[in-house]
Amino acid sequence: MDRIKITGGERLNGSIAISGAKNAALPLMIASLLSDETLTLRNVPRLADVAMLTRILGNHGVDMSVDGKRAGANGDDGDTLHLTARTIVDTTAPYDLVSRMRASFWVLGPLLARCRETKVSLPGGCAIGTRPVDLHLMGFEKLGANIQLEDGYVLASAPDGLTGAHIVFPKVSVGATHNVMMAATLAKGETILENAAREPEVADVAACLVKMGADIEGIGTSTLRIRGVERLHGACHKVLPDRIETGTYAMAVAMTGGEVELVGARADLLDSLFPIMAQAGVEMTATNQGIKVARNGARLQPVTTETEPYPGFPTDLQAQLMALMTMADGDSEITETIFENRFMHVQELARLGADVTLDGDRATVHGVDSLKGAQVMATDLRASVSLVIAGLVAEGDTIINRVYHLDRGFERIEKKLGACGARIERLTG
Ligand code: EPZ
């Protein structure tokens, strides 16, 4: 199994190309199930999760091809995928695939809408919390589907098709919004989704669905009005840049000091991060090409924040912010309101010398003067990358085990950081 070795102490300088967003690319790929024509997606990141979803969609009958690289093309450009679900050959999403990637549960909406029946495994346990799917199922029932739970599977059917409905989500859910929105595009009549997730990745998927012929109003707001259409057609869509990858590299630069331009990043997707970084003493400036991040000399200052649905501070940056604050001059408070168990990185950061106290959903990070390299491992993607951030300043060598978590969501992380001066290498085998 691959590991990452980091020898801390180098400042980061230069530029890093930001990839397409994983959390948009996955539902966009799933949206291909809604049409028998080809959906072309550009700027798709090369990630283990994308490869896994390719397998899952292939199982349903989606044909996929990837454009070869043009001569002279920049290695930073993402892949162009062509996905064609001409015929759905299997409406079952089995446990052994869904359990490997939760987002594959989102095939339920498109399969139900297009084929009128589907059988999708419940996703099962997860390292960051219980993560139920009740909101998804409530949405489908409101659209007129019959939902049964049997042997760990959701059996969903709507023999006469889905019918538009007024659905108020009691809690903001990114996945339930994606899933129910996709299904509603092919329902009869109008669907209103209230308290829908406003995450930019949801808006990106909605924009792609509109290109495919869907009728959606209110994109980017918490109320989506979807008028169902008979069929969707092919389209071409470019995946938006990854705001979580952007925020992660911003914190890496903040941690080491130096100056890096995050090329292709969109400042407007990270409004919640700018004030926190300013408070911490880190300069973040929007440029023509992306975002410039700089910290020169002065010690990091502590911050207080809590995670919230977009446009609040993202849970997917909580672990990275915590890693950063381990080196601040004082105590920071970080409250996790989205997932009940997303503090798995605390124990691992402690192995590097971090001092964090947990009290329910609140972490108090007592800044220390230095971290020291050690062997660490993490159980989820963002937790793993928080260890990379800490490792970049820890004295000596940090070895991060279970790199496959990183490969799920960060494209060529060792190359991107290495090109800016980090001493980081992948140990294979
Ligand atoms: C998406 O997960 C992201 N995944 C997660 O990113 C992200 O952390 C999360 O949204 C929150 O922003 C993808 O986009 C692929 P939710 P999702 O439904 O959709 C509760 C990463 O590291 N809930 O918005 O699964 C749930 O338990 C990943 O890239 C219910 O109670 O998250 C949680 O507390 C990890 N019932 C809250 O809502 C439901 O039916 C938000 O979850 C659904 C969710």
Side-chain angles (χ1 to χ4, degrees):
M1 238 185 282
D2 288 4
R3 293 169 299 154
I4 293 265
K5 177 179 163 195
I6 304 173
T7 308
E10 304 297 329
R11 289 160 76 87
L12 295 175
N13 283 293
S15 70
I16 295 178
I18 297 302
S19 299
K22 167 181 85 78
N23 288 350
L26 299 177
L28 283 165
M29 290 170 71
I30 290 172
S32 68
L33 290 168
L34 287 162
S35 170
D36 61 0
E37 294 182 14
T38 302
L39 176 63
T40 296
L41 298 175
R42 291 166 48 223
N43 199 31
V44 177
R46 290 178 212 93
L47 297 172
D49 269 9
V50 168
M52 173 56 69
L53 184 57
T54 303
R55 275 185 59 193
I56 292 169
L57 293 176
N59 194 49
H60 297 301
V62 179
D63 272 337
M64 203 201 76
S65 64
V66 186
D67 278 1
K69 281 270 163 272
R70 292 182 318 276
N74 184 333
D76 294 334
D77 296 339
D79 280 335
T80 296
L81 305 189
H82 305 280
L83 301 122
T84 315
R86 183 107 38 233
T87 316
I88 303 293
V89 297
D90 192 344
T91 56
T92 299
Y95 174 77
D96 60 330
L97 294 178
V98 179
S99 59
R100 294 204 216 168
M101 193 179 59
R102 293 188 62 84
S104 57
F105 184 73
W106 306 347
V107 300
L108 203 161
L111 289 175
L112 175 62
R114 183 162 161 198
C115 307
R116 301 190 171 189
E117 61 163 18
T118 179
K119 179 177 169 184
V120 179
S121 169
L122 286 164
C126 171
I128 61 178
T130 49
R131 303 183 76 183
V133 290
D134 54 316
L135 301 175
H136 303 235
L137 302 185
M138 178 274 281
F140 296 130
E141 277 182 331
K142 291 257 184 199
L143 293 178
N146 181 347
I147 303 283
Q148 310 277 340
L149 297 183
E150 214 175 276
D151 304 330
Y153 278 80
V154 178
L155 275 57
S157 63
D160 299 321
L162 297 169
T163 311
H166 189 158
I167 300 167
V168 183
F169 290 113
K171 180 173 187 176
V172 177
S173 162
V174 171
T177 306
H178 278 306
N179 216 346
V180 178
M181 172 174 73
M182 287 193 277
T185 59
L186 292 179
K188 283 185 224 90
E190 184 174 89
T191 297
I192 296 175
L193 301 183
E194 272 190 63
N195 202 25
R198 284 182 280 168
E199 268 63 5
E201 295 74 23
V202 173
D204 203 42
V205 171
C208 176
L209 293 169
V210 168
K211 289 180 195 165
M212 294 169 76
D215 182 351
I216 307 178
E217 269 177 35
I219 295 176
T221 75
S222 56
T223 305
L224 295 171
R225 186 181 293 267
I226 305 157
R227 288 183 202 88
V229 294
E230 284 281 313
R231 63 184 296 273
L232 295 183
H233 50 72
C236 179
H237 185 80
K238 182 176 178 190
V239 180
L240 88 171
D242 196 318
R243 66 194 163 99
I244 305 302
E245 189 196 28
T246 305
T248 301
Y249 287 128
M251 289 193 222
V253 180
M255 188 64 145
T256 64
E259 185 174 312
V260 170
E261 185 161 27
L262 303 173
V263 177
R266 268 177 54 186
D268 61 310
L269 305 181
L270 281 159
D271 282 347
S272 63
L273 182 61
F274 275 74
I276 289 173
M277 292 294 249
Q279 204 184 330
V282 181
E283 253 179 69
M284 271 179 78
T285 333
T287 64
N288 287 340
Q289 292 214 81
I291 300 175
K292 197 178 77 186
V293 187
R295 183 170 73 82
N296 295 311
R299 182 135 186 224
L300 285 162
Q301 293 305 304
V303 301
T304 292
T305 192
E306 63 178 40
T307 60
E308 288 172 329
Y310 190 83
F313 186 78
T315 174
D316 289 347
L317 284 176
Q318 179 257 109
Q320 299 90 316
L321 181 65
M322 189 181 296
L324 182 62
M325 288 300 115
T326 60
M327 291 286 286
D329 187 13
D331 290 355
S332 299
E333 263 186 21
I334 304 176
T335 306
E336 171 59 56
T337 73
I338 308 289
F339 292 110
E340 78 268 26
N341 192 26
R342 208 173 196 180
F343 282 134
M344 305 296 278
H345 39 286
V346 169
Q347 289 307 316
E348 298 303 302
L349 287 169
R351 294 175 61 77
L352 300 172
D355 182 1
V356 182
T357 338
L358 287 181
D359 178 12
D361 62 0
R362 196 174 54 218
T364 307
V365 189
H366 313 282
V368 294
D369 291 335
S370 63
L371 298 174
K372 197 157 179 342
Q375 291 245 11
V376 286
M377 70 167 70
T379 44
D380 97 83
L381 162 63
R382 312 303 175 185
S384 309
V385 87
S386 76
L387 300 172
V388 172
I389 292 174
L392 289 172
V393 293
E395 289 160 16
D397 293 346
T398 295
I399 308 274
I400 300 171
N401 293 288
R402 300 204 184 158
V403 168
Y404 56 84
H405 286 298
L406 280 174
D407 293 336
R408 292 185 65 173
F410 290 92
E411 190 177 333
R412 299 178 299 125
I413 188 167
E414 69 277 18
K415 296 226 163 45
K416 289 189 183 189
L417 288 172
C420 291
R423 286 167 68 196
I424 178 168
E425 63 179 309
R426 181 178 290 255
L427 310 173
T428 44

